[in-house]
Amino acid sequence: MTHDTSDISGADAHGIDLSSSDFATRAIHAGQAFDPTTGSVVPPVYLTSTFVQDGIGGFRGGYEYARSANPTRDSLQELLAALEGGSHAYSFASGLAAEDTLLRAVLKPGDHVVMGNDVYGGTHRLVNRVFVPWGVTLSTVEMTDLDAVRAEVAATSAAVLWVETPSNPMMKISDIAALAEIGHAAGALVVVDNTFASPYLQQPLSLGADVVVHSTTKYLGGHSDVVGGALVVNDAELAEKIGFLQFGVGAISGPMDAWLTVRGIKTLAVRVERHSTNALTIAESLEGHPALEAVHYPGLASHPGHALAARQMRSFGGMISLQFAAGPAAARAFAESTTLFQLAESLGGVESLIGYPTEMTHASVRGTALEVPENLVRLSVGIEGVDDLLADLRGALAALDS
Ligand SMILES: *Cc1c(COP(=O)(O)O)cnc(C)c1O
C-alpha cells in the first residue's frame, strides 16, 4: 500500500492556510505542524520501521511499513511540494536515486532522452551507463540553442527532455518556459534539475516543466551533512507512477535524513539570499583579473544568460566558475591553495567549497561531449563574511605569480 500524500492543499494541520504565504513562511511551516500529543514545536523524527495495526488492516493515519510511508518523510515531501508549487513530492536516498526512479517510471526500451551538453556528470553517467545498456538511447544538445533543441527532440522523437539551469559547471542559463513548449510540442516529458537554483530562486513547474528534480544534498539540505534527492510533479497520473516505484523499488530517504533536510530548508530563503549577494560581490570583484580568462556567473552583465536569468530567477545563486588564462596547472594550483574555500566535491552548503571539475565532479564525462575545460575551477560560495572569502581568493591568485 502506498500512503496518500496527495492532500497538499496548503492548509496545514495546525490550521495555517499557507496557500498564499510568502516562500519563507512556507519554508518554515509547510508540513511542519507541531506534535499534537506533546505540543513539541518541532515535529519528532519517526525512527521506526513499522506501525502497529488496530486489527488487521487498521492503519493509524494510513501508516503501515516505513518503506511505503513514514511521517518524517511525509513532512519533507509536503514541504518540497509547497516550495516548488507541485501537487506531489517524493524524497529519495540521493539525487541520483530520485533520477533513477523517475527514469524507470517514464522510460521503456527504445525510448530516447535528450539532455543538455553540460548536465551534472552523474546524470549523464546514469543514463549512458545504466539506461543505455537497457535499450534507451541518449543524445546531448546545447540547451541554450532553442533551434538546436527543437530539431533534436523532433528528429529523435524524444520521450524525455532533461534540462539543468544554471548548468554545472559552466553556469549556462536556459529558458525553461521556451524549452517546456518545445518539449511538449514534440511529446516529450520536460524535466528540470533545479539543484543549482533551489526553489527559492526559480520554480520550474510554474514555467511549464513537468518534473522538478533535486539533489537535496546541496542547497535544500544546505549544511553538507546529509545526502538526499527529490522529485516534484503537478500531475496525479505521473505522481502515481513515481509513488509506486518509490515504494516498489525502495530508494527512500530515511527518517533522520528527511528530518535533517527539513531542518535545513527552514533557512533556505535567508541562506540563498546571502549565497547570492556573496557570489555577486566575488564575481564582480574577480572579473577582469589578469590571471582569469573568464568568470562565469549569471549575475554579471557580461554573462550571455544574464537577461534571461534576471527574468527567470529571483537572484543569481552561489555558484561561480573561473577559467585560468595560464591553463590547467594554474587552475589546479589555485584550487589547492585556498583555505576558507575547502577543496571538496559538492556544493550548496553554508561553507565555501572549491572544486576542479575535470578530475572531481566531472571525471566521469572526460572524453564525452560533456567534457569540462581543464583550466576551470568551480566555487560554491558559502555564507561566510564576504571580505574573508575575497581575501582568500585574492591570496590564492597572488600566490600563482610567485
Ligand atoms: C549533486 C547533483 C546531483 C546528484 O545528486 P546526489 O545527491 O549526489 O545523488 C544531480 N544534479 C545536480 C545538479 C547535482 O549537483
Side-chain angles (χ1 to χ4, degrees), residues 103-153:
L103 293 170
R104 290 183 202 229
V106 300
L107 292 175
K108 56 185 187 321
D111 283 347
H112 188 80
V113 176
V114 172
M115 62 174 55
N117 61 11
D118 65 343
V119 297
Y120 174 71
T123 301
H124 183 266
R125 181 182 55 207
L126 172 66
V127 177
N128 194 40
R129 304 265 308 269
V130 179
F131 282 85
V132 167
W134 284 85
V136 165
T137 54
L138 169 67
S139 56
T140 57
V141 66
E142 172 55 53
M143 227 18 102
T144 59
D145 181 345
L146 297 178
D147 291 331
V149 179
R150 195 177 289 110
E152 186 64 19
V153 292

Side-chain angles (χ1 to χ4, degrees), residues 273-333:
E273 282 292 339
R274 173 69 169 245
H275 283 294
S276 296
T277 53
N278 276 2
L280 182 61
T281 303
I282 288 170
E284 282 175 342
S285 164
L286 296 185
E287 191 176 32
H289 189 286
L292 299 173
E293 180 184 282
V295 175
H296 302 285
Y297 185 66
L300 293 174
S302 60
H303 188 285
H306 177 66
L308 173 58
R311 239 185 10 254
Q312 184 166 276
M313 302 170 73
R314 194 196 296 250
S315 52
F316 304 102
M319 299 301 297
I320 300 176
S321 54
L322 308 173
Q323 284 185 266
F324 285 77
R332 295 184 64 118

Side-chain angles (χ1 to χ4, degrees), residues 94-97 99 120 123 164 168 193 195-196 215 217-218 227-228 347:
S94 69
L96 284 176
E99 296 184 12
Y120 174 71
T123 301
E164 191 181 314
N168 176 13
D193 183 334
T195 299
F196 266 41
S215 168
T217 314
K218 316 295 168 55
V227 172
L347 61 116

Side-chain angles (χ1 to χ4, degrees), residues 1-289:
M1 185 214 112
T2 54
H3 183 70
D4 181 17
T5 53
S6 62
D7 181 27
I8 302 172
S9 58
D12 208 323
H14 53 298
I16 306 177
D17 179 6
L18 296 168
S19 53
S20 58
S21 299
D22 185 80
F23 183 94
T25 308
R26 279 178 278 141
I28 292 168
H29 291 288
Q32 304 308 304
F34 65 84
D35 175 44
T37 312
T38 61
S40 162
V41 167
V42 176
V45 194
Y46 286 85
L47 286 168
T48 190
S49 60
T50 191
F51 301 86
V52 170
Q53 303 182 14
D54 296 317
I56 296 166
F59 306 128
R60 295 192 175 199
Y63 294 105
E64 177 183 13
Y65 178 66
R67 176 162 30 74
S68 64
N70 172 293
T72 311
R73 191 169 89 227
D74 282 350
S75 152
L76 170 60
Q77 293 180 159
E78 192 175 327
L79 176 56
L80 290 168
L83 295 185
E84 286 287 1
S87 58
H88 297 71
Y90 298 90
S91 75
F92 297 89
S94 69
L96 284 176
E99 296 184 12
D100 174 52
T101 301
L102 172 67
L103 293 170
R104 290 183 202 229
V106 300
L107 292 175
K108 56 185 187 321
D111 283 347
H112 188 80
V113 176
V114 172
M115 62 174 55
N117 61 11
D118 65 343
V119 297
Y120 174 71
T123 301
H124 183 266
R125 181 182 55 207
L126 172 66
V127 177
N128 194 40
R129 304 265 308 269
V130 179
F131 282 85
V132 167
W134 284 85
V136 165
T137 54
L138 169 67
S139 56
T140 57
V141 66
E142 172 55 53
M143 227 18 102
T144 59
D145 181 345
L146 297 178
D147 291 331
V149 179
R150 195 177 289 110
E152 186 64 19
V153 292
T156 59
S157 306
V160 168
L161 176 61
W162 191 286
V163 179
E164 191 181 314
T165 178
S167 71
N168 176 13
M170 299 307 293
M171 303 306 299
K172 289 186 205 159
I173 304 295
S174 38
D175 187 334
I176 296 172
L179 290 165
E181 250 183 68
I182 289 169
H184 292 155
L189 187 84
V190 177
V191 179
V192 175
D193 183 334
N194 205 25
T195 299
F196 266 41
S198 91
Y200 181 67
L201 296 183
Q202 74 191 7
Q203 289 150 23
L205 298 178
S206 72
L207 298 170
D210 300 299
V211 185
V212 168
V213 172
H214 277 289
S215 168
T216 59
T217 314
K218 316 295 168 55
Y219 286 102
L220 286 163
H223 297 74
S224 307
D225 53 10
V226 59
V227 172
L231 302 172
V232 190
V233 299
N234 227 340
D235 175 272
E237 206 178 311
L238 184 55
E240 168 74 33
K241 287 186 194 167
I242 294 168
F244 171 71
L245 286 184
Q246 185 195 43
F247 162 71
V249 175
I252 53 166
S253 48
M256 199 64 222
D257 290 357
W259 188 88
L260 278 170
T261 306
V262 165
R263 178 193 162 110
I265 289 173
K266 291 178 190 184
T267 55
L268 181 68
V270 288
R271 282 188 286 109
V272 175
E273 282 292 339
R274 173 69 169 245
H275 283 294
S276 296
T277 53
N278 276 2
L280 182 61
T281 303
I282 288 170
E284 282 175 342
S285 164
L286 296 185
E287 191 176 32
H289 189 286

Side-chain angles (χ1 to χ4, degrees), residues 120 342-347 353-355 359-363 378:
Y120 174 71
Q342 300 172 96
L343 182 65
E345 299 200 359
S346 200
L347 61 116
L353 298 179
I354 189 165
E359 288 186 23
M360 295 172 66
T361 47
H362 288 64
R378 190 184 78 180

